Amino acid sequence: MNFKLLIACCGFLCGACVVAPATAQTDSPGKGLKDYYKNYFPIGVAVSPGSLKRPDASALILREFNSITPENAMKMGPIHPKENEYYWKDADSIVAFAQRNGLKVRGHNLCWHEQTPDWLFKNADGKLVDKETLLKRLKDHITTVVNRYKGKIYAWDVVNEAIDDDSTKFLRNSLWYQICGEDFIIKAFEYAHAADPKAVLFYNDYNTERPEKRDRVYRLLKKLNDAGVPVDAVGLQAHWSIYEPTQGELKAAIEKFASLGLKIQVTELDMSVYPWEKNMRTKKPGENDTYTPELQAKQMAQYKMVFDVFRQYKKVITGVTFWNISDRETWLDDYPVPGRKNYPLLFDTNLQRKKAYWEVVRGDF
Ligand code: 9MR
């Protein structure tokens, strides 16, 4: 806290000054998250090509962040719509923006059960392909995409969300798994490593702080590690809420994954103001989706807690990326509950810094 500025502000140590610290708001308006965290890790954000073209959003990105992740543009469906046809325009424009502005790029993702192209799992006769064919397709895809951005993308989410949602099961029963067994995971990392030996290769998943999921992710990573598969790091997606994780759960997960010698990134951070209600298809009767002072206060406390923990673990945490820029537009609007607005990020619907922002940039640095 800059006391000189506080006094210049109102002459007293009033509550308003303490809630909105004068330091960050007045003496360095151009200072962003990336600057506060320069001695810790890069701070990133998921982007679409459209957001980079909007002057207000792109100015915010350049002020606050030093890393970007394409939210959808590099997924297999969008980038490889037909077997012999790639669609590079969107992904290229994101990488070009990063190059022009000196930002890092995380590639997302090379192998996932969602957003896959129609042709991928089927033969010309409409039947499912065999394992050999699917692995060849995976290899061609990974080699082509990773090669195109070699030297421009420093890290790749190679395999995304391969663990089942059912806590009594291990690997997700996706078409990848049904056709290839767990070999698709091993091969994906091997192909990516062969294409760009310098890229940092991630296994990326959600709910990694819930003990039952954490332990299954650990089991997979240990197995890959023991078998010498080139996995460098684990991505904790961090689609969290004001209700979870607890500090204990977060620390336990970081320590458990770090014990394997892996680096850790927080890859898709947002902080929903609702509990996770995956099976709710409508708003509750009478529920309104106002961002109340109570929700704001809970969100401030939760954001403060998680960033305090991230800083404590700076030896193993090599990046923190937010999933979307501001509350103006987030994948959590309408999801999982259609018609419900959410407020999960550090910038409001007018792209202004929220109170939670100041919790993230003050404290022990
Ligand atoms: O934010 C992405 C949204 O625009 C897409 O419609 C959705 C498709 O499933 O994917 C979202 O991003 C996901 C990410 O790629 C992987 N982890 C979960 C993210 C949120 O669903």
Side-chain angles (χ1 to χ4, degrees):
M1 180 75 61
N2 183 333
F3 285 100
K4 217 161 120 197
L5 274 166
L6 269 181
I7 289 158
C9 165
C10 73
F12 304 100
L13 287 178
C14 75
C17 301
V18 174
V19 169
T23 325
Q25 281 183 329
T26 55
D27 73 353
S28 338
K31 194 169 168 183
L33 295 166
K34 63 179 174 19
D35 305 305
Y36 291 100
Y37 279 84
K38 67 175 189 301
N39 296 326
Y40 290 87
F41 30 71
I43 306 276
V45 62
V47 298
S48 63
S51 63
L52 302 181
K53 289 192 200 117
R54 285 193 284 276
D56 55 355
S58 70
L60 184 145
I61 292 167
L62 295 179
R63 186 186 73 210
E64 302 287 343
F65 301 99
N66 48 6
S67 174
I68 51 179
T69 302
E71 180 180 6
N72 289 302
M74 286 184 188
K75 292 170 181 171
M76 203 167 181
I79 209 169
H80 197 169
K82 300 203 176 125
E83 184 166 9
N84 296 312
E85 195 179 304
Y86 285 84
Y87 174 75
W88 299 115
K89 192 165 158 251
D90 287 351
D92 280 1
S93 73
I94 292 173
V95 173
F97 178 90
Q99 293 273 298
R100 279 200 303 280
N101 294 293
L103 308 177
K104 291 163 105 66
V105 185
R106 296 189 83 260
H108 176 83
N109 54 53
L110 295 170
C111 180
W112 191 24
H113 63 282
E114 276 190 37
Q115 286 177 292
T116 51
D118 291 339
W119 59 270
L120 178 64
F121 298 112
K122 292 194 179 147
N123 273 322
D125 60 9
K127 299 216 178 81
L128 286 184
V129 290
D130 60 15
K131 177 173 174 178
E132 192 190 351
T133 308
L134 187 56
L135 289 180
K136 164 135 191 351
R137 290 179 177 182
L138 180 65
K139 181 175 188 182
D140 289 347
H141 174 77
I142 290 181
T143 309
T144 306
V145 176
V146 172
N147 258 322
R148 185 174 183 92
Y149 300 115
K150 202 169 172 169
K152 297 179 180 167
I153 289 191
Y154 83 103
W156 273 104
D157 289 329
V158 178
V159 175
N160 203 36
E161 304 172 5
I163 299 290
D164 206 294
D165 285 332
D166 179 342
S167 62
T168 65
K169 306 212 166 95
F170 182 42
L171 294 177
R172 183 188 297 279
N173 194 25
S174 63
L175 282 174
W176 289 111
Y177 182 73
Q178 287 170 32
I179 298 170
C180 302
E182 63 186 64
D183 283 357
F184 81 90
I185 302 175
I186 297 168
K187 291 293 175 193
F189 281 101
E190 288 177 358
Y191 301 150
H193 183 66
D196 185 356
K198 289 197 181 136
V200 188
L201 304 184
F202 280 74
Y203 174 76
N204 190 47
D205 213 330
Y206 54 83
N207 292 345
T208 43
E209 306 67 40
R210 293 186 183 170
E212 51 84 11
K213 180 83 177 271
R214 175 198 71 203
D215 290 352
R216 288 180 297 143
V217 172
Y218 176 87
R219 181 176 149 201
L220 172 64
L221 292 171
K222 173 141 185 24
K223 204 167 173 187
L224 296 173
N225 224 16
D226 289 349
V229 178
V231 184
D232 302 304
V234 54
L236 316 184
Q237 291 188 1
H239 292 297
W240 293 333
S241 79
I242 56 176
Y243 304 102
E244 67 169 332
T246 64
Q247 188 192 57
E249 287 166 346
L250 177 55
K251 287 183 170 184
I254 293 171
E255 284 173 23
K256 185 144 192 167
F257 297 131
S259 75
L260 288 169
L262 297 170
K263 292 295 184 203
I264 295 170
Q265 288 197 1
V266 174
T267 52
E268 305 183 13
L269 176 60
D270 42 33
M271 200 68 75
S272 170
V273 298
Y274 309 106
W276 184 241
E277 295 156 320
K278 181 145 179 138
N279 300 319
M280 230 167 85
R281 286 284 159 262
T282 51
K283 285 203 266 184
K284 292 179 196 140
E287 182 183 43
N288 77 29
D289 46 13
T290 311
Y291 187 46
T292 62
E294 289 75 19
L295 292 176
Q296 290 184 37
K298 283 192 177 144
Q299 192 182 46
M300 286 163 71
Q302 185 72 338
Y303 260 122
K304 173 174 169 34
M305 183 278 282
V306 302
F307 271 88
D308 285 351
V309 172
F310 299 160
R311 291 198 303 277
Q312 279 168 33
Y313 287 92
K314 76 169 195 175
K315 286 213 173 84
V316 287
I317 294 186
T318 60
V320 173
T321 292
F322 288 83
W323 207 246
N324 297 131
I325 303 164
S326 76
D327 292 349
R328 181 183 284 181
E329 218 176 318
T330 143
W331 74 284
L332 289 167
D333 289 337
D334 295 321
Y335 192 84
V337 180
R340 187 176 67 180
K341 174 80 191 133
N342 210 327
Y343 308 88
L345 296 157
L346 291 183
F347 302 91
D348 68 17
T349 52
N350 294 315
L351 307 193
Q352 300 304 305
R353 292 158 170 154
K354 291 165 53 177
K355 287 180 183 166
Y357 179 98
W358 303 110
E359 297 297 324
V360 163
V361 301
R362 68 181 174 191
D364 282 339
F365 274 80

